[in-house]
Amino acid sequence: MDTILHPDTNLTKLLAMVLAVLLFVGVMALVLFLTNLPKRMPSWGVAIMFLTPTIILLCFGLLYPTVMTVRSSFYGRDGTNAVGFANYVTIFTQPQFLQVLLNTILWTILVPLFSTGIGLVYAVLVDRTRFEKLEKALLFLPMAISMVSASIVWKFVYDQKVGLLSALYTGVARLFGQHVVAPQWLMSAPINTFLLIFVMIWLHAGYSMTILSAAIKAIPEDLVEASRLDGLNGRQQFFYLTIPMIRPAILVVTTTVAMGGLKAFDVVRTMTAGNYGTSVIANEFYTQSFQYQNAGLGASLAVVMFIVVIPLIVFNVHQMRKSQEVR
Amino acid sequence: MSRKLTRQEKALIRTKNKLSSPWASAISIVIALVWTVPTLGLLVTSFRDDRMAISRSGWWETLLPSNWHQFGLGNYESVLGGNYNLGAYFVNSFVITIPGVLIPITLALLAAYAFAWVDFRGRHVLFIAVFSMQVVPIQVTMIPLLTQYVNWGLNSTFWVLWLSHTIFGLPQAIFLLHNFMQDIPRELVEAAKVDGAGHVKIFLKVVLPLMVPAIASFAIFQFLWVWNDLLVALAFAGNTPATAPLTSRLSDMVGSRGSAWYLLAPGAFIAMIVPVAVFLFLQRYFVRGMLAGAVKG
């Protein structure tokens, strides 16, 4: 029993995994078997059998914790003394947390703005070129790697001694006859926040590019041709035809990426751990809850995140509905 | 004007575009470089065996043939065994990911089927409730979940990681699979019903085979998501070689061994190999899944 719970060799770990999968397959087979057993299973019976596992999991793992977290956001450090809105007052008044909020706003605006912008420009530029597939794959590949790996990639670029950024910086300075030492990029506020944001843009541009490229390809050929016959040049075509035609896709991409920016955790955690004035809500939640053991404050940070994300999702759903009606 | 352009006309437009915009090519080349060179640099570094040189000179200097003697596999050997033991974390990532993909997809298929093809009271209300669970940021759920796991004595085991990834993946999985499932022609399902097939039979014999591409595309999604996750791992895995995945270990190494590039570079690539391979082989499905998620709905 203990080995199943705490396997410690590669072999027992894999065995535990196989066991878990078999157990799950067994339960699922039983569910299907029981559903199929009665001669005439009523619809609600099928629904109960198919939906119960999911509903239980979601209630246990999402619904109940959310309620508990909202509750503990009104409690103090260890969750025993009610403090009213004190945690929220702390978040919205103390300079340290105002910095966190400001950074989060920067992330939520700059990440979607630039990754959509770059993705769009790139999608238009490589559209119908000879190496389109390859060129797209280059931009898209960061999507596959973890934010942790991406952070390491860019931490290396930002390295003061052997980083590419430092080399460019001192190189350019030398062109102007200046001999300078590159700054400690990640420790220099406020530029460090922008350097971290760029990593997130780097990660998300491929996503934007893919969606927008598909939207561009869906623009009817004859419209493009007509615009060309009307004498629109490349730039005019981009602003008067392409952009208006793919507006819904742009909106969807922007909101999706904005949610990514809001939830930015891995990048900040791995690159600066939120030090030197770079923290964001998602990271501060982790620091407060798990490192400073301040459950109340951590909970309120999570709730603030929750409240910010709701309008983004509602907007997104609204847009999807609209594009679905068109279809 | 509904005829398609001939190949020559297309080629003409293409060349015209190209000639008219040297700036366009320049911009696209700059973007492509910024998106690839940083990773390339780290890759080159991961093969540089001379540790002193790594911290003194830029990686681009090793591209000169006179520096090629620096290259070797020593760094990979260091991180895979010994103190760093990334091999064990690599296995953990696997053990976490496979059930973390299989279980939510199976549950979501059943749920999506019920929402799409079973008539029961309150179907729409329930679907909207499940759908809106996507709003909940993982952070909101972490502390209460951790409390539960500790009470059960299950924290820092694979079991709670599988459970958590299943829970967090479910709403989106149901949503996406439901979208695909609705597109199955009604006649097919009706015909099966007329033939006397029950829901289980329709699910297994009619719907499931048609869902294979959709399942593949969501599986890649969920795979990348679980494999690349850091937050769930940090909160629930416990930072030990017994359960923690690669991401957790790497993030730790960045913190404690600041600029030990000879360790971080190969570490990052070991963590990248699997998702990049999955991505390259199954790109087509991945893109399809992404488009379904973003544009359909």
Side-chain angles (χ1 to χ4, degrees):
Chain A
M1 186 62 197
D2 195 53
T3 327
I4 296 168
L5 278 185
H6 302 282
D8 46 8
T9 64
N10 288 345
L11 183 69
T12 47
K13 282 175 191 172
L14 292 170
L15 282 177
M17 177 185 87
V18 172
L19 181 78
V21 170
L22 286 179
L23 202 67
F24 176 73
V25 170
V27 172
M28 283 301 110
L30 190 69
V31 166
L32 289 177
F33 176 73
L34 289 179
T35 316
N36 208 24
L37 205 53
K39 259 266 176 298
R40 208 82 211 120
M41 184 69 147
S43 287
W44 57 265
V46 179
I48 286 177
M49 297 301 274
F50 279 20
L51 285 172
T52 308
T54 296
I55 304 290
I56 291 176
L57 284 178
L58 293 183
C59 287
F60 163 76
L62 293 174
L63 197 60
Y64 161 80
T66 306
V67 175
M68 291 305 282
T69 297
V70 172
R71 180 178 168 276
S72 63
S73 74
F74 296 107
Y75 281 74
R77 186 167 271 279
D78 55 1
T80 49
N81 55 321
V83 294
F85 282 91
N87 290 322
Y88 293 97
V89 172
T90 306
I91 294 173
F92 287 101
T93 53
Q94 281 193 10
Q96 176 203 348
F97 290 104
L98 287 176
Q99 176 76 52
V100 169
L101 292 180
L102 174 70
N103 287 346
T104 307
I105 293 170
L106 283 175
W107 279 80
T108 318
I109 293 173
L110 293 180
V111 173
L113 195 68
F114 280 92
S115 47
T116 313
I118 293 172
L120 177 61
V121 168
Y122 196 77
V124 171
L125 292 182
V126 304
D127 194 40
R128 293 175 211 194
T129 53
R130 192 172 337 159
F131 301 110
E132 182 174 350
K133 277 230 167 88
L134 174 72
E135 286 172 293
K136 280 181 168 177
L138 293 183
L139 201 67
F140 192 55
L141 210 55
M143 282 283 299
I145 70 178
S146 67
M147 294 199 200
V148 176
S149 300
S151 304
I152 294 175
V153 166
W154 282 91
K155 218 177 155 145
F156 188 57
V157 175
Y158 298 154
D159 189 275
Q160 190 199 12
K161 281 193 204 132
V162 293
L164 195 56
L165 182 65
S166 305
L168 287 174
Y169 179 81
T170 49
V172 169
R174 198 165 303 146
L175 281 182
F176 292 99
Q178 308 265 316
H179 285 272
V180 292
V181 177
Q184 293 266 26
W185 297 107
L186 291 175
M187 294 185 192
S188 323
I191 191 174
N192 51 7
T193 293
F194 294 98
L195 291 176
L196 297 197
I197 289 176
F198 185 77
V199 178
M200 200 68 163
I201 294 170
W202 185 78
L203 277 162
H204 280 85
Y207 167 79
S208 315
M209 186 265 303
T210 309
I211 310 280
L212 297 176
S213 172
I216 291 172
K217 298 226 180 281
I219 299 175
E221 195 81 58
D222 36 352
L223 272 183
V224 181
E225 208 179 335
S227 76
R228 210 165 272 287
L229 291 175
D230 283 345
L232 261 62
N233 64 28
R235 192 149 37 90
Q236 287 167 329
Q237 201 186 342
F238 179 71
F239 284 110
Y240 299 126
L241 177 74
T242 312
I243 297 228
M245 287 297 284
I246 63 171
R247 216 179 74 92
I250 293 180
L251 289 174
V252 169
V253 166
T254 321
T255 47
T256 314
V257 177
M259 276 184 272
L262 177 72
K263 294 181 190 166
F265 167 75
D266 316 41
V267 171
V268 176
R269 191 85 222 152
T270 316
M271 292 188 84
T272 62
N275 295 317
Y276 320 114
T278 55
S279 197
V280 292
I281 295 182
N283 177 67
E284 202 59 27
F285 156 83
Y286 185 83
T287 312
Q288 294 296 336
S289 308
F290 292 97
Q291 284 178 315
Y292 299 158
Q293 308 296 333
N294 194 342
L297 197 56
S300 355
L301 284 162
V303 172
V304 170
M305 225 169 123
F306 193 14
I307 292 168
V308 177
V309 86
I310 290 175
L312 283 176
I313 297 249
V314 169
F315 177 73
N316 219 359
V317 171
H318 185 70
Q319 286 302 322
M320 281 186 202
R321 282 277 149 75
K322 251 168 69 181
S323 68
Q324 200 176 24
E325 277 162 22
V326 173
R327 215 154 46 99
Chain B
M1 250 297 192
S2 59
R3 81 190 165 88
K4 287 220 161 156
L5 294 177
T6 65
R7 186 172 291 182
Q8 281 102 332
E9 281 171 315
K10 276 188 186 161
L12 191 73
I13 290 175
R14 201 186 300 150
T15 39
K16 224 168 102 189
N17 272 344
K18 278 215 157 156
L19 289 176
S20 63
S21 51
W23 277 107
S25 324
I27 294 171
S28 67
I29 288 170
V30 169
I31 295 177
L33 283 178
V34 175
W35 256 254
T36 41
V37 169
T39 318
L40 193 72
L42 198 70
L43 182 65
V44 169
T45 304
S46 74
F47 290 107
R48 283 177 81 181
D49 275 353
D50 188 342
R51 286 174 201 177
M52 301 308 285
I54 291 181
S55 54
R56 254 191 273 112
S57 62
W59 59 269
W60 49 90
E61 290 170 33
T62 51
L63 298 180
L64 296 171
S66 61
N67 284 329
W68 283 2
H69 63 87
Q70 286 186 8
F71 291 126
L73 290 171
N75 297 334
Y76 283 89
E77 281 166 24
S78 322
V79 289
L80 279 172
N83 281 337
Y84 302 104
N85 200 10
L86 282 192
Y89 293 90
F90 189 82
V91 173
N92 293 346
S93 280
F94 249 113
V95 171
I96 294 169
T97 306
I98 292 179
V101 174
L102 281 178
I103 300 177
I105 289 188
T106 311
L107 290 176
L109 277 168
L110 285 178
Y113 178 85
F115 285 128
W117 295 109
V118 182
D119 283 312
F120 61 94
R121 274 176 60 128
R123 176 162 76 151
H124 294 287
V125 178
L126 204 57
F127 180 66
I128 289 169
V130 168
F131 170 81
S132 55
M133 292 279 181
Q134 287 183 88
V135 183
V136 179
I138 294 179
Q139 278 88 346
V140 176
T141 69
M142 295 217 116
I143 301 280
L145 275 181
L146 186 65
T147 315
Q148 279 305 322
Y149 295 158
V150 172
N151 286 346
W152 293 343
L154 284 177
N155 62 312
S156 308
T157 65
F158 288 122
W159 298 86
V160 297
L161 289 168
W162 296 327
L163 183 61
S164 308
H165 281 302
T166 299
I167 291 167
F168 299 141
L170 263 177
Q172 184 140 41
I174 294 173
F175 175 64
L176 286 178
L177 294 176
H178 176 260
N179 286 342
F180 276 103
M181 218 174 270
Q182 270 191 324
D183 284 352
I184 293 172
R186 181 157 283 277
E187 304 83 68
L188 273 179
V189 177
E190 295 297 337
K193 260 188 197 154
V194 171
D195 288 347
H199 278 297
V200 174
K201 203 163 190 182
I202 298 176
F203 173 73
L204 290 175
K205 296 272 163 66
V206 180
V207 172
L208 219 47
L210 292 172
M211 291 292 290
V212 169
I215 295 170
S217 53
F218 186 78
I220 301 162
F221 247 136
Q222 177 77 3
F223 180 92
L224 292 181
W225 199 80
V226 176
W227 184 275
N228 290 336
D229 157 76
L230 176 66
L231 181 59
V232 177
L234 282 184
F236 299 141
N239 203 351
T240 66
T243 42
L246 272 171
T247 47
S248 162
R249 178 65 180 144
L250 269 182
S251 160
D252 209 41
M253 277 168 63
V254 186
S256 57
R257 318 212 26 108
S259 52
W261 294 117
Y262 73 96
L263 297 173
L264 294 176
F269 280 97
I270 290 167
M272 277 182 214
I273 294 169
V274 176
V276 168
V278 166
F279 165 81
L280 289 178
F281 282 119
L282 305 170
Q283 222 187 118
R284 210 154 33 102
Y285 289 118
F286 183 48
V287 170
R288 195 188 301 175
M290 231 167 59
L291 294 178
V295 187
K296 272 172 94 172

